[in-house]
Amino acid sequence: MIELRNVGKSFGGSAPALQDVSFDVPAGSICALLGHNGAGKTTTVSILCTLLTPSSGHAKVAGYDVVEQAAQVRSSIGVTGQDVAVDILLTGRENLTLFGRLRGLRRKRARERADELLDQFDVVAAADRPVSTYSGGMRRRIDIAAALVVPPKVLFLDEPTTGLDPRSRRAVWALVSGLSEQGVTVLLTTQYLEEADVLSDSIVILGSGQVIASGTAGDLKRLVGHGYCEVTLVDPVDVARVAELLVDFADLEVDSEACTVAVLAADGVATLREVLRRLSENEIELIDISLRKPSLDEVFLHLTQPIVTA
């Protein structure tokens, strides 16, 4: 449903924003596009939405070439950006009706479609209130609904849960999963690695405008090749001290709120023994120490670290 082959994009004399980007997204699946700031995510989505023209290579969406058949691409997609793009002075119902009319629906059908979406997105109770009175999660639901007034074959979601509380975020996750079950292909960009892990059927990681890894979440976790040794501390004051004791280990991760410190367990049990020895010698009290599989956050940091620090 989405196909990119050797896509490149340059802006003037600066370094290329994209270089030979190639990946596919099957129909009815969810693909998460990940990367640090400046990695090329927004440029990729802009090309697929026909907002930018590639400098090289080609891309297709819903079977249409994004350059030669741009109008057909636009009629096949829905797009939700990072910022909510609805009129906060109108009600939720009025917004959806307006978007229906803009997409060519007759007045009666636009009202009917608005009612259908209000029910599907669980905002019927607030349908006739101005969007300015909505919570962040409700605004995001109306924003996504607006992209669906004419059901698209492909939906682009650019960081759809940024700034939402955990409950609202999970509500949006449920909506996105439901769209996939209805056969809508979703390309999702996100800064929340847990979101990609939960939602995606496939993941593409960009770095400096290039694809540095792709596959399922499980595939990417296996790329790391090692588990992690994680310690949970009794006293939060010890977190910084433990980080200093383990600073020579690869992929050191510190979570002060959870009172945990994790390092790449390149030598498996031997790494665990060495960590335990150092902490014991320094009389650090532990709640737990364990070996575990890498999280998607750790995979992302491991794969992108050479690019970020170059």
Side-chain angles (χ1 to χ4, degrees):
M1 188 59 68
I2 298 174
E3 176 187 316
L4 293 92
R5 290 290 178 270
N6 306 114
V7 170
K9 181 63 180 178
S10 298
F11 297 95
S14 61
L18 296 179
Q19 302 179 68
D20 293 323
V21 171
S22 299
F23 64 86
D24 297 316
V25 182
S29 67
I30 301 174
C31 177
L33 188 62
L34 309 180
H36 57 81
N37 291 335
K41 302 188 301 297
T42 299
T43 302
T44 300
V45 172
S46 296
I47 287 173
L48 294 172
C49 294
T50 74
L51 297 176
L52 288 176
T53 301
S55 303
S56 60
H58 71 270
K60 290 184 177 182
V61 175
Y64 300 112
D65 187 276
V66 297
V67 176
E68 297 178 359
Q69 299 169 297
Q72 291 93 323
V73 170
R74 292 179 193 130
S75 67
S76 303
I77 66 174
V79 183
T80 297
Q82 295 180 29
D83 298 318
V84 173
V86 295
D87 190 329
I88 63 172
L89 299 181
L90 299 180
T91 67
R93 190 188 309 278
E94 288 169 341
N95 266 287
L96 296 181
T97 302
L98 172 63
F99 274 91
R101 294 288 287 154
L102 291 173
R103 290 298 305 271
L105 299 182
R106 293 185 178 276
R107 186 173 287 104
K108 180 180 178 182
R109 179 55 188 150
R111 289 196 297 263
E112 291 173 348
R113 182 59 178 156
D115 289 341
E116 293 169 4
L117 290 167
L118 289 167
D119 181 61
Q120 179 182 348
F121 284 72
D122 194 25
V123 284
V124 172
D128 296 309
R129 283 169 33 202
V131 171
S132 60
T133 67
Y134 288 13
S135 67
M138 291 172 64
R139 291 189 189 192
R140 177 54 74 183
R141 276 183 273 168
I142 285 292
D143 192 47
I144 295 175
L148 299 172
V149 287
V150 174
K153 295 179 180 178
V154 180
L155 177 64
F156 295 97
L157 297 176
D158 192 5
E159 300 187 19
T161 62
T162 297
L164 298 186
D165 61 80
R167 184 183 299 275
S168 297
R169 186 176 301 137
R170 290 186 178 277
V172 172
W173 290 358
L175 291 173
V176 174
S177 295
L179 293 173
S180 177
E181 292 170 2
Q182 296 170 33
V184 178
T185 303
V186 179
L187 182 66
L188 165 80
T189 71
T190 180
Q191 297 290 347
Y192 299 109
L193 280 296
E194 180 192 7
E195 186 164 278
D197 208 352
V198 169
L199 289 178
S200 64
D201 299 299
S202 63
I203 296 171
V204 176
I205 299 179
L206 294 178
S208 297
Q210 297 175 296
V211 175
I212 58 175
S214 63
T216 66
D219 292 336
L220 297 181
K221 290 174 183 178
R222 284 189 287 273
L223 286 177
V224 175
H226 304 288
Y228 278 74
C229 176
E230 182 175 87
V231 295
T232 305
L233 308 173
V234 172
D235 191 342
V237 175
D238 288 330
V239 171
R241 187 180 172 200
V242 170
E244 291 180 6
L245 291 171
L246 305 180
V247 70
D248 56 312
F249 285 91
D251 289 0
L252 176 70
E253 284 197 6
V254 178
D255 187 334
S256 298
E257 291 185 4
C259 291
T260 63
V261 179
V263 296
L264 186 68
D267 298 316
V269 175
T271 299
L272 185 147
R273 285 199 298 264
E274 176 60 18
V275 169
L276 187 58
R277 181 189 67 78
R278 295 187 191 188
L279 301 189
S280 297
E281 288 179 354
N282 288 273
E283 299 181 346
I284 303 294
E285 292 188 73
L286 303 179
I287 293 175
D288 184 47
I289 182 169
S290 63
L291 289 175
R292 58 167 175 75
K293 294 180 180 179
S295 67
L296 193 57
D297 293 68
E298 289 159 338
V299 172
F300 178 79
L301 291 172
H302 181 77
L303 292 173
T304 59
Q305 187 175 20
I307 293 173
V308 174
T309 60

